[in-house]
Amino acid sequence: MNIRPAHIIQVVFLLSLMSSCEQPEKQWQFERKIMLPEKARPLALAKDGDAIWFSDPDYFRLYKIDRDGELLDSITGIQRPMNIHTDNGTLFIPEFLTDTIWQYRDDKKWPLKLSKRPQAPAGVSIYGDTVLVADFYNHRIIVQTPNECFTIGGQGHKDGELYYPIDVKMKDNRIYVADAYNSRIQVFGFNGTHLKTIGGNEKMNVASGIAMGEREFAITDQENSRVLIYDFDGVLKQVLTDHIKYPTDVLFDGNYLYSTNFKENSILIWSRR
C-alpha cells in the first residue's frame, strides 16, 4: 500500500484535534484562605477593581479588602447590610432593617429610588439601567427599568413562587433567583415568565448567594456547607466542599472564585486547574 506522507500528517492532525476536543473542562480547586478579623461575619461579596467588598450584617458594617485581606475601606452604621453589588464604581447596599437600598461612592452614600417599596431587601443587582431587588418578606423580586416597575414571584412553594428570596442575578435577560427557603434556584424570563427550577435533585438546604460566570453559575448551599456549580441548562458540573463552613455567598472573578465562610470569619479563594 502506498501511503503518502501528507496523508499521514493529516491523520495525525485530526487525531490530535479530536483528542484536544475530548479533554475535560478544568475544575475549580481550593487555593487558599483569607482570614478576616476575629469578629468579622462575611455574608456577601462584591468586586471593586482589584479589591473586594464584603458585608457584615452582624456588626452593621462593610469592609473593602485586597486579596491578602488587608483593609482598604470600611462603612459603618448600615442596619444589617445584605447581598451587595457593584456597578461602575458604585457600591449598592441593601439595608435589611430599614427597607432601603443605599448607593455608596467616594465616601458618600445616598438612597436608590424605587417605585415599589421592599420589605427587608436582601439582595440587589444592577445591570445598566435595570435594577433587581430580592424583596425578602414580600417573597418577590422587584424589577425596575426606566419605563416600568413590576414584580416576579409571590409567596409559595410551586414553580414560579418564592419563599424568602435572598439574592438575584441576571444573565442574557434571564433572571436567576436564590429562592432561599425553598432551597432551589428559579429562572425567569425578563417578563417574569417562569422558565426553570434548578437544584431539587441536589437536596439543598437554604440556597443563599448566587453568582454568574461566563459559562456557569454558582449557588451556596448554606446549611450543607457546599457550593454547587451548574451550567446554564441546570446541569450540575461540580460540588465544592473543601474548607467550606456555612457559605453564604460566592463570586466569580475570571479564573478565580471566592466564597464566604460566614461562621469562620474567612473568605476562600478557588482557581480553575
Side-chain angles (χ1 to χ4, degrees):
M1 181 182 295
N2 185 15
I3 301 177
R4 297 179 182 178
H7 290 166
I8 295 176
I9 294 173
Q10 289 176 356
V11 171
V12 171
F13 173 76
L14 288 173
L15 289 174
S16 63
L17 183 62
M18 291 172 61
S19 176
S20 64
C21 291
E22 293 172 358
Q23 290 181 356
E25 184 179 3
K26 293 181 179 179
Q27 298 285 292
W28 293 104
Q29 302 289 336
F30 174 76
E31 184 172 288
R32 63 187 179 89
K33 181 185 297 186
I34 302 174
M35 292 306 302
L36 304 172
E38 184 177 354
K39 291 185 177 181
R41 293 285 194 176
L43 177 82
L45 303 169
K47 195 78 169 59
D48 187 5
D50 293 329
I52 299 170
W53 281 100
F54 73 84
S55 59
D56 183 345
D58 282 8
Y59 294 95
F60 294 174
R61 63 191 176 184
L62 300 100
Y63 281 148
K64 184 180 182 179
I65 60 172
D66 64 17
R67 291 186 69 227
D68 294 319
E70 292 296 321
L71 181 63
L72 303 176
D73 196 1
S74 64
I75 306 170
T76 58
I78 302 293
Q79 304 298 299
R80 196 164 178 80
M82 297 292 285
N83 281 293
I84 54 179
H85 186 87
T86 53
D87 183 66
N88 291 323
T90 299
L91 178 65
F92 293 83
I93 309 165
E95 189 173 31
F96 193 79
L97 298 183
T98 68
D99 303 335
T100 306
I101 306 288
W102 291 103
Q103 301 173 85
Y104 176 85
R105 187 185 183 111
D106 299 329
D107 297 323
K108 298 179 181 179
K109 69 180 176 70
W110 64 99
L112 177 68
K113 294 181 180 180
L114 293 172
S115 297
K116 295 185 183 294
R117 183 179 177 86
Q119 186 181 5
V124 61
S125 292
I126 310 294
Y127 300 91
D129 54 11
T130 297
V131 179
L132 306 176
V133 177
D135 188 355
F136 190 74
Y137 284 132
N138 287 324
H139 308 279
R140 64 184 185 177
I141 301 300
I142 297 173
V143 181
Q144 180 167 292
T145 72
N147 301 319
E148 60 180 339
C149 184
F150 60 94
T151 61
I152 295 172
Q155 184 174 356
H157 309 288
K158 298 177 181 178
D159 287 346
E161 297 176 338
L162 302 172
Y163 198 60
Y164 300 106
I166 199 169
D167 200 8
V168 58
K169 296 290 189 292
M170 187 167 71
K171 179 81 171 181
D172 297 330
N173 282 327
R174 291 188 171 191
I175 296 172
Y176 292 74
V177 180
D179 189 6
Y181 291 94
N182 277 328
S183 298
R184 61 188 184 182
I185 307 101
Q186 293 210 63
V187 187
F188 297 87
F190 192 76
N191 62 358
T193 302
H194 176 264
L195 301 177
K196 188 175 298 187
T197 298
I198 299 170
N201 293 333
E202 284 66 61
K203 297 181 179 179
M204 284 190 285
N205 189 359
V206 184
S208 49
I210 191 168
M212 314 310 291
E214 289 298 321
R215 296 167 294 177
E216 60 200 354
F217 73 90
I219 184 78
T220 51
D221 182 4
Q222 184 173 295
E223 298 292 337
N224 289 326
S225 290
R226 305 184 298 176
V227 173
L228 308 180
I229 312 292
Y230 292 91
D231 68 19
F232 291 116
D233 291 324
V235 177
L236 183 66
K237 297 174 62 177
Q238 190 176 357
V239 179
L240 308 181
T241 58
D242 291 348
H243 306 281
I244 294 179
K245 298 179 181 178
Y246 207 83
T248 49
D249 200 17
V250 62
L251 173 70
F252 285 101
D253 182 24
N255 288 322
Y256 292 97
L257 181 70
Y258 301 87
S259 63
T260 59
N261 275 348
F262 183 72
K263 291 185 177 180
E264 195 203 45
N265 60 286
S266 66
I267 296 172
L268 306 183
I269 302 180
W270 309 76
S271 60
R272 197 188 287 277
R273 302 176 197 166

